[in-house]
Amino acid sequence: MRGDRQDQQKKLSDEQLVLNAQSDKTAIGELIARYICTVEFLAKKYGAEVHEDLVQEGLMGLLGAVRTYREDKNAKFSTYATKCIKNKIISSVHRNALLSGGEEADLEAILGGGGTVPEEVVVEREELNELCLLYTSPSPRDVEESR
């Protein structure tokens, strides 16, 4: 059953998956699978030394894009998502530069203008981990069906 739903998700456009993502976590999983190469490319481009952290930041940017995408703005989801991923990674690089550069900076400057609350970052990371586990781990029923 789960495999059938994933097969159906693969046939949908990104925009359709974003609409489905409100009620179906496998749609988000499919979007992660489609955009992981973009995330990894951008993470490597902007900071090879903290690659894994930037991949996680990029995936949080993708989840943000899924939550905030508006089809009525006449932009393809791929364009919007790539911009959100890139912005999240660059913000993280700048935040890390401020922290490691020894410069004193207030919390608002470190967090990119106050748009991100630390608690929201933790919640986003937990949601991302749950979604990745959901999409990549077979359910017990899937394991039984594959035998």
Side-chain angles (χ1 to χ4, degrees):
M1 181 80 136
R2 185 170 151 185
D4 292 339
R5 188 173 1 179
Q6 287 176 342
D7 289 340
Q8 291 171 350
Q9 300 286 5
K10 289 180 184 185
K11 296 175 185 175
L12 298 176
S13 70
D14 291 351
E15 290 77 12
Q16 290 169 319
L17 285 171
V18 170
L19 291 173
N20 291 353
Q22 301 302 321
S23 61
D24 185 0
K25 289 188 178 185
T26 61
I28 296 173
E30 178 60 28
L31 286 165
I32 290 170
R34 289 184 187 184
Y35 284 88
I36 190 67
C37 290
T38 300
V39 170
E40 289 186 353
F41 172 80
L42 291 170
K44 186 176 181 181
K45 178 179 178 181
Y46 290 102
E49 66 280 351
V50 288
H51 178 75
E52 287 181 24
D53 291 340
L54 294 182
V55 168
Q56 189 168 14
E57 291 289 332
L59 288 170
M60 287 175 20
L62 175 61
L63 291 176
V66 170
R67 279 196 297 267
T68 59
Y69 177 71
R70 291 188 45 195
E71 197 170 23
D72 63 333
K73 295 293 184 182
N74 296 324
K76 290 178 65 175
F77 178 76
S78 60
T79 303
Y80 182 71
T82 300
K83 189 70 171 168
C84 290
I85 293 164
K86 184 176 178 181
N87 286 346
K88 190 75 169 171
I89 289 171
I90 290 172
S91 292
S92 178
V93 169
H94 286 295
R95 185 172 53 248
N96 289 337
L98 283 173
L99 291 173
S100 65
E103 299 177 27
E104 292 208 17
D106 64 329
L107 185 59
E108 185 173 308
I110 291 170
L111 294 175
T116 305
V117 178
E119 291 83 7
E120 291 174 359
V121 172
V122 171
V123 170
E124 284 179 356
R125 286 186 179 171
E126 288 174 357
E127 288 175 358
L128 175 63
N129 288 335
E130 286 176 21
L131 291 169
C132 287
L133 287 173
L134 173 73
Y135 191 70
T136 58
S137 301
S139 69
R141 185 173 27 175
D142 290 339
V143 172
E144 288 297 319
E145 289 176 358
S146 68
R147 290 184 183 173

